[in-house]
Each structure stands twice: as C-alpha cells, then as structure tokens.
C-alpha cells in the first residue's frame, strides 16, 4: 500500500470516534518499532519527522526507510507527516520529497521560537494549504503556542503563556481551510511538562472542549502528549540516569480529548524514554557488550511496547482493514472540487 493522506485517516477516525497516534522518528529502529506495533494491533499509523529528524537522516535515508516500511507492511495504512514545518519552503520541500501530510506551524516565526502574529500565521498557512492540496497532501496548522522546545523548535515556557483562544481558532480555520488544527491547552514538548499530576489548572481540557464546540468537524491535534510514565523514568534512573521526577499528560485526559474532537495525538518523549531505559539497562547489566544489536534490539522492543499500548488506548487498534486508500491524485481532485469538508 502506498503512503496515504493524513486527511483520509483523520476523517476515518472521526467517523469511528477514535484517535490516531503520531509517533516521531529519526532512524530505522524507530520506524521498525512503529510498524511492528501497527501490525500487531492492526492499526493505521502516522509516522512523523521534524526538521531536526530530516536533517539527522539526510531526508533521503528517511524517505527510503519509509518506502521500505510500506513494502514490508502493505496492510498498514501509513502516513508520512512533517512535524512543525517552520516555513512554506520547508513544507514544500517535504511535499516534493513525498510526505503525504505537512504541518505548517505559523504560530511561531521562521526561527521556530518567536510567537508570530495572527496575520503571519494565516498568510503562511494559506500558502501551504494551496500548494499541499493541489497534490492531495494534508495540512495541519497551529493556533496558540505550545511550551517547551523540541529539536530546537518551540516557544519555551510552561505552556500556559500562549493558550489557544477558541474564538480565534474558529476564525483561523475559516481563514485557512486547514485539515487539522493543533491547539495549545497547557502541554509542552519534552519530559518536563508538569511538576505534579496535571489538573484543570494546568491542563486546560475546558479550552479544548470549547474549541470542539465551535469547530465540531475540525480534526484537533494534541501536541506534547507523552504521558511520561513513572515506570519509564524509574528504569532510566535505576540504571544510572538522572531524570528529575516529572508528569506528562495522563492517558485518560487524552481519551477525554478524543471524545471531544482530538484525532491526532503526538507522542515522541515516551518512546525516547523507553529506548534510553532499555539501552541503559544493557550497558549497566552487561558492560562487556559492544555489539550495537545487543542494545538496539531491546530498545526497539521497548519502543514497540509503548507504541502498541498507545494504539490500543487511542482506539486506532483494529482499524487498519477499514481503510481503503484514496490515491493522492484523487485527494487532489477532491480538494479541487471542494468535496473535502473544512
Ligand atoms: P512529547 O514531547 O510529549 O512526546 O510531544 C511530541 C510532539 O508533540 C511532537 O510534535
């Protein structure tokens, strides 16, 4: 099965009332972990790469690894998505490479750090929507800014500084015709999201629910949605790591989000923690080992376990077979004829 459009997956998820995890990758082992988890749970899947990941993998390696994934896992509807594109040029280069979905994060300026104006966000998002839809490619946009920094990208801070304004979100979707909308509700990228189990003071599910009321057919995206499980923190610390205790987004809050229009859930940190814990354990317990396969295999297995667990929790498990891929050219035609709802 060739790579499919993210819009198709999210439309299916909306019909079925479930969410789809979007997992970040930089290398072969992470792609293998995700595809194995998808096969085991029969899930459609979104694989995403940031600018940092594209530069780490030199683009072409990433592309060919993804082609291999579609050849080896033909039964899995798979999206290749650009995470946090910082400019129309970055998004267009991903589209040219073959990504079937891009995020234009115009909530920040091109430096990926400075919060932008509404007008800037609308302008760059519209430009990407025009270029992407002409090729059937999906566009995720962002309004409001997340906290934290990931791969050098992010507004920093706790995540409470630039929450999404629901009225502005409503206007933004009208102004841009984006396919999916990332919103800021107090989450941030990375491991250090919350200093205690989050409640409504710091994780603004009420804002999410209000946005969904105003935009009932828009696919909402939750970024910074790793749960940062204590067990994964403990494994790292047990084998010589030094993580400070921290809290992520509880899975039950994500499930509440899914009941309220969230269709895409971004997870990176949980997988990083799982990989690092598994590698540390091998190094700690068998310091005489030096074959990379001795630690990359358990790392791959640990990430697969986390991804499979999330696929079940988000509800995408068992849904792969329901999706009959729409060719990208047909998606382009559907956008042209305005058959894809805003
Ligand atoms: P986490 O750091 O919570 O995994 O978030 C990842 C993310 O949102 C990627 O865009």
């Amino acid at each position: 099965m060739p790579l499919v459009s993210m819009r198709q997956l999210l439309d299916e998820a909306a019909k079925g009332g479930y969410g789809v995890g979007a997992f970040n990758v930089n290398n072969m082992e992470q792609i293998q972990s995700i595809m194995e988890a998808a096969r085991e749970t029969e899930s459609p899947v979104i694989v995403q790469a940031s600018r940092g990941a594209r530069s780490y993998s030199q683009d072409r390696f990433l592309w060919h690894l993804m082609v291999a994934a579609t050849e080896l896992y033909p039964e899995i509807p798979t999206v290749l998505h650009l995470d946090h594109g910082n400019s129309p040029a970055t998004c267009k280069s991903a589209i040219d490479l073959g990504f079937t979905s891009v995020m234009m994060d115009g909530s920040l300026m091109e430096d990926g750090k400075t919060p932008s104006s509404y007008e800037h966000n609308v302008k760059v998002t519209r430009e990407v929507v025009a270029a992407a839809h002409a090729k059937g490619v999906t566009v995720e946009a962002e309004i409001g800014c997340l906290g934290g920094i990931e791969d050098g990208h992010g507004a920093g801070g706790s995540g409470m500084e630039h929450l999404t304004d629901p009225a502005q979100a409503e206007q933004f979707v009208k102004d841009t015709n984006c396919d999916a909308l990332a919103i800021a509700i107090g989450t941030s990228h990375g491991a250090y999201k919350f200093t205690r189990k989050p409640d409504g003071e710091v994780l603004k599910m009420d804002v999410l629910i209000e946005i969904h009321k105003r935009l009932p057919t828009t696919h909402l995206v939750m970024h910074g949605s790793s749960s940062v499980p204590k067990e994964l923190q403990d494994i790292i610390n047990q084998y010589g790591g030094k993580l400070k205790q921290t809290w992520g987004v509880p899975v039950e809050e994500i499930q509440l989000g899914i009941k309220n229009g969230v269709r895409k859930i971004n997870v990176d940190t949980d997988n990083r923690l799982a990989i690092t814990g598994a590698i540390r354990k091998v190094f700690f317990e068998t310091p005489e080992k030096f074959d990379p396969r001795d630690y990359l295999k358990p790392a791959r297995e640990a990430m697969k376990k986390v991804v499979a667990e999330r696929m079940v929790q988000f509800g995408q498990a068992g849904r792969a077979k329901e999706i009959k891929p729409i060719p990208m050219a047909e998606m382009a035609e559907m956008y042209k004829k305005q058959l894809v709802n805003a």
Side-chain angles (χ1 to χ4, degrees), residues 290-326:
F290 59 88
D291 180 340
R293 288 170 297 186
D294 288 335
Y295 50 87
L296 291 178
K297 267 194 214 165
R300 196 165 60 182
E301 200 46 44
M303 172 164 165
K304 177 191 148 190
K305 192 165 160 255
V306 172
V307 173
E309 202 178 322
R310 295 289 173 273
M311 286 170 162
V312 172
Q313 291 163 333
F314 298 162
Q316 74 205 81
R319 300 289 186 161
K321 55 186 171 301
E322 294 170 6
I323 295 163
K324 307 279 164 272
I326 302 172

Side-chain angles (χ1 to χ4, degrees), residues 187-207:
T187 66
S188 47
H189 292 126
Y192 298 103
K193 301 181 195 304
F194 303 110
T195 52
R196 57 185 158 91
K197 186 168 185 229
D199 54 22
E201 284 296 301
V202 288
L203 180 60
K204 307 299 278 180
M205 296 307 287
D206 53 336
V207 172

Side-chain angles (χ1 to χ4, degrees), residues 112-154:
K113 291 183 173 48
T114 314
S116 70
S117 66
Y118 179 82
E119 291 70 27
H120 169 88
N121 198 353
V122 168
K123 179 174 168 287
V124 291
T125 304
R126 282 173 68 107
E127 185 180 337
V128 172
V129 165
H133 286 183
K135 299 204 168 157
V137 171
T138 310
V139 180
E140 174 185 337
E142 176 163 330
I143 186 89
C145 304
L146 248 71
I149 295 183
E150 190 192 32
D151 283 347
H153 182 106

